[in-house]
């Protein structure tokens, strides 16, 4: 059974890029969110196996959304997506409960490698 993925990013082109990567890797995309508020709501509705989370988003940051999701579901698997130069934010995200991170711009094989690692080789 394919692992279910929720994609969170405020840029639609980035969501589409990530969606293509996961679809090509045999994952099922169960939902998308464009900001941290939507991310928390969609996570609760869908309970995905994996969530990709942008850090800088309107209304609620990816770090705040991660913290809230993990508080409600300590087993949530969240991979942060950050741009170069956001290392301090990445560390804050890991402290908030993120499992790992991917630095933008990224290659499909790098994304799938990180995801397989955090999902235990799925």
């Amino acid at each position: 059974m394919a692992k279910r993925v929720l994609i969170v990013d405020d840029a639609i082109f980035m969501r589409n890029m990530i969606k293509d990567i996961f679809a090509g890797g045999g994952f099922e995309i169960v939902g998308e969110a464009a900001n941290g508020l939507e991310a928390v709501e969609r996570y609760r509705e869908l309970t995905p196996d994996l969530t990709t989370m942008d850090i800088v988003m309107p209304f609620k940051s990816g770090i705040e959304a991660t913290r809230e999701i993990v508080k409600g579901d300590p087993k949530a698997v969240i991979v942060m997506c950050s741009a170069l130069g956001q290392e301090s934010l990445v560390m804050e995200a890991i402290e908030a409960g993120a499992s790992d991170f991917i630095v933008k711009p990224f290659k499909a094989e790098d994304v799938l490698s990180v995801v397989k690692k955090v999902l235990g080789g799925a």
Side-chain angles (χ1 to χ4, degrees), residues 6 38-48 51 69 73 76:
L6 170 64
E38 285 182 17
V40 173
E41 291 173 13
R42 300 291 289 168
Y43 184 88
R44 289 178 180 154
E45 292 169 14
L46 302 168
T47 58
T51 301
I69 289 170
D73 180 3

Side-chain angles (χ1 to χ4, degrees), residues 92-105:
E92 190 177 344
I94 297 295
E95 289 171 7
S99 301
D100 210 330
F101 63 93
I102 304 166
V103 177
K104 298 175 188 173

Side-chain angles (χ1 to χ4, degrees), residues 19-110:
K19 195 171 12 179
D20 288 345
I21 291 170
F22 281 108
F27 292 83
E28 177 187 0
I29 312 304
V30 292
E32 298 178 34
N35 61 61
L37 287 175
E38 285 182 17
V40 173
E41 291 173 13
R42 300 291 289 168
Y43 184 88
R44 289 178 180 154
E45 292 169 14
L46 302 168
T47 58
D49 298 307
L50 173 79
T51 301
T52 66
M53 183 80 72
D54 189 15
I55 292 181
V56 179
M57 294 186 292
F59 307 118
K60 182 177 283 193
S61 76
I63 293 170
E64 293 170 311
T66 296
R67 192 172 285 125
E68 193 169 333
I69 289 170
V70 170
K71 184 177 178 183
D73 180 3
K75 293 183 179 177
V77 178
I78 301 172
V79 174
M80 304 305 290
C81 296
S82 72
L84 290 172
Q86 296 180 329
E87 289 86 0
S88 63
L89 292 176
V90 169
M91 293 311 299
E92 190 177 344
I94 297 295
E95 289 171 7
S99 301
D100 210 330
F101 63 93
I102 304 166
V103 177
K104 298 175 188 173
F106 45 70
K107 296 177 185 172
E109 56 267 24
D110 296 337

